[in-house]
Amino acid sequence: MLDELQDWHEKSFHKGNQIDQHGTEVLIQIILSFVAKPSQLFRQLAQQVFSVLASHIEHEGLHAIVKVLETKENLSGQTEIFDEGNEPSEVGSQSIEDADVEEVTMKDVDGMESSSSSLDGEDEGPEEVEESDEGADEELAAFDLKLSQALRTRPPNADVDTTDDTQTFSDEDMDDEQMEALDSHIATIFREKKKTVNRKTQNKDAKETIVNFKCRVLELLELFVKKRHKDLLTFDILLPLLILIRTTTSSMVSGKACGVMREYSRLCKGKEVPPIKKKQAVLELLKEVHSEAMLESSKAHASACSQASLLLVKVLGADDRESLWKVVKVYAHTQGSMLTDPKCKVKNTFFTDWQNWCSTARAG
């Protein structure tokens, strides 16, 4: 790690004391490798360095951070995001010295516990508890069937009356070769069962690793929002946050993403909004936010979509109040879709929030 920092320092400051963009992107990768570890020290160090670096980050650097949020929360996602230099066991494990780290438990990951950061008790992203239980039952039934077939005995859940007694026999009916073949077949069945258990354990560990990593990255994005909320570049995190809230299977991740969205919305008020040069680009982003709001999801997702939409409305209104006429058309189109398109799942609160904003922002 120190070698990486030394290499970054030599490359970044070889032409003076200014950090070039390449050096910034390299440092971002180092910071991400810090927050991927369970150490509280690395976490605090990464946040301190990132707070200073935030003012130098450009599009490519921010994209590298946001890309983590798009990672699948499973074994393939872990394999994709961590290179050979970052072993998953190192990322997901936690030592005694790091016992104070705010790691999520598997109950948090699977949605068995509620997150304290959820939006006023609103439901979070989709959960996988029932699906995983059904999968486990199917695997157990398949294992029992294979074992009963190998032993030629009645499966545990089979009806006694429907079982052909002529198929059952004892080991006294078998010669040595048949016994050896049976032993080999049973050993193969148990090896397959062990592989299945190991695979499920790996998937759980990988999911926990990715969830923890995303939570750390969201903490960095909250720092970025506090530093750069008046910068148009920060608009780049809006859609990734909304998509994450809708698609994550972790209430912890959803809660933290909602927290970033709330903080961004809270900071952008009055004159604390970014100046815009291309109104059409902001209007197109507003339409994309509305398209996201039309998708079926949780109340937390609907609330975040409403906050993102009103944030863009405030930016457009601060630049030119005549732009609000175009905003009204966007909301009208969304409401029309709610009335005429059965696939549109936008929540009523989306328009209630809009009406409340109109009441406070109306011209005097």
Side-chain angles (χ1 to χ4, degrees):
M1 193 68 68
L2 291 177
D3 291 339
E4 291 180 357
L5 288 172
Q6 180 65 28
D7 181 63
W8 168 80
H9 185 273
E10 291 176 354
K11 290 180 178 180
S12 299
F13 291 98
H14 67 285
K15 293 183 179 180
N17 294 325
Q18 296 297 322
I19 304 177
D20 60 22
Q21 191 54 39
H22 174 71
T24 299
E25 294 172 14
V26 172
L27 188 54
I28 287 174
Q29 294 298 331
I30 296 175
I31 290 174
L32 289 176
S33 69
F34 274 29
V35 298
K37 300 179 184 298
S39 169
Q40 180 78 354
L41 176 61
F42 279 129
R43 177 188 185 185
Q44 293 176 349
L45 179 60
Q47 290 181 355
Q48 290 176 2
V49 175
F50 188 81
S51 295
V52 177
L53 186 67
S55 58
H56 300 280
I57 294 176
E58 298 298 335
H59 176 75
E60 292 301 324
L62 185 60
H63 175 73
I65 300 172
V66 171
K67 187 178 180 181
V68 176
L69 306 182
E70 302 170 356
T71 308
K72 295 180 180 179
E73 296 167 0
N74 54 26
L75 189 58
S76 64
Q78 178 181 263
T79 303
E80 176 186 350
I81 199 167
F82 293 115
D83 55 27
E84 295 180 357
N86 265 334
E87 297 182 3
S89 59
E90 176 187 355
V91 177
S93 61
Q94 182 176 12
S95 62
I96 296 176
E97 291 81 5
D98 302 320
D100 58 341
V101 182
E102 296 176 6
E103 297 293 305
V104 300
T105 64
M106 285 313 300
K107 287 184 178 181
D108 291 320
V109 176
D110 291 331
M112 299 293 287
E113 293 180 354
S114 60
S115 170
S116 60
S117 57
S118 61
L119 289 176
D120 300 326
E122 294 175 343
D123 57 331
E124 302 294 345
E127 306 295 345
E128 296 181 336
V129 179
E130 295 182 1
E131 182 180 347
S132 61
D133 289 343
E134 292 176 1
D137 291 340
E138 291 176 359
E139 290 181 0
L140 182 59
F143 172 73
D144 288 338
L145 179 60
K146 287 183 180 179
L147 190 59
S148 64
Q149 288 175 343
L151 298 174
R152 298 186 185 181
T153 60
R154 178 176 58 85
N157 297 326
D159 189 349
V160 176
D161 295 335
T162 61
T163 304
D164 187 0
D165 293 335
T166 61
Q167 294 182 350
T168 63
F169 60 91
S170 66
D171 56 359
E172 295 177 357
D173 301 324
M174 304 176 65
D175 56 28
D176 291 342
E177 291 184 359
Q178 289 175 322
M179 287 291 290
E180 289 179 3
L182 178 61
D183 289 342
S184 176
H185 189 42
I186 293 175
T188 300
I189 293 174
F190 276 95
R191 279 197 298 270
E192 292 177 355
K193 177 64 175 176
K194 185 177 181 180
K195 288 180 181 179
T196 301
V197 173
N198 290 339
R199 186 168 61 252
K200 292 173 69 175
T201 301
Q202 289 176 350
N203 283 331
K204 282 187 176 182
D205 291 343
K207 184 175 182 179
E208 186 174 358
T209 296
I210 296 299
V211 165
N212 286 327
F213 192 23
K214 285 185 177 182
C215 287
R216 298 292 181 83
V217 169
L218 287 168
E219 291 173 357
L220 295 181
L221 285 178
E222 187 168 356
L223 292 174
F224 183 80
V225 164
K226 291 178 179 179
K227 293 281 185 178
R228 302 281 293 274
H229 64 275
K230 294 181 66 174
D231 196 320
L232 285 176
L233 176 64
T234 314
F235 281 175
D236 288 355
I237 73 172
L238 286 178
L239 282 177
L241 282 177
L242 299 179
I243 294 172
L244 176 65
I245 295 169
R246 174 171 54 84
T247 59
T248 183
T249 58
S250 166
S251 59
M252 181 72 76
V253 172
S254 177
K256 282 188 173 291
C258 288
V260 176
M261 190 67 252
R262 286 198 304 270
E263 183 66 11
Y264 193 6
S265 178
R266 184 188 68 83
L267 291 171
C268 289
K269 58 183 179 181
K271 296 182 178 180
E272 294 295 310
V273 295
I276 56 177
K277 297 179 180 179
K278 298 180 179 179
K279 287 184 287 187
Q280 189 59 38
V282 180
L283 280 168
E284 291 301 319
L285 179 57
L286 178 65
K287 292 177 182 178
E288 291 186 74
V289 170
H290 279 233
S291 296
E292 181 69 23
M294 293 182 194
L295 300 176
E296 186 171 8
S297 189
S298 62
K299 293 180 181 179
H301 175 260
S303 178
C305 287
S306 181
Q307 290 169 354
S309 178
L310 292 178
L311 188 155
L312 296 173
V313 170
K314 287 186 287 186
V315 171
L316 287 166
D319 178 73
D320 179 14
R321 292 193 69 85
E322 291 298 317
S323 299
L324 294 178
W325 283 107
K326 296 182 179 180
V327 171
V328 170
K329 292 180 180 180
V330 173
Y331 269 92
H333 179 269
T334 303
Q335 194 164 24
S337 297
M338 183 184 70
L339 295 173
T340 60
D341 186 359
K343 294 181 180 180
C344 178
K345 303 299 182 180
V346 63
K347 301 289 192 296
N348 292 332
T349 54
F350 190 79
F351 303 105
T352 303
D353 293 341
W354 160 245
Q355 291 294 335
N356 290 338
W357 183 86
C358 289
S359 298
T360 59
R362 64 190 303 174

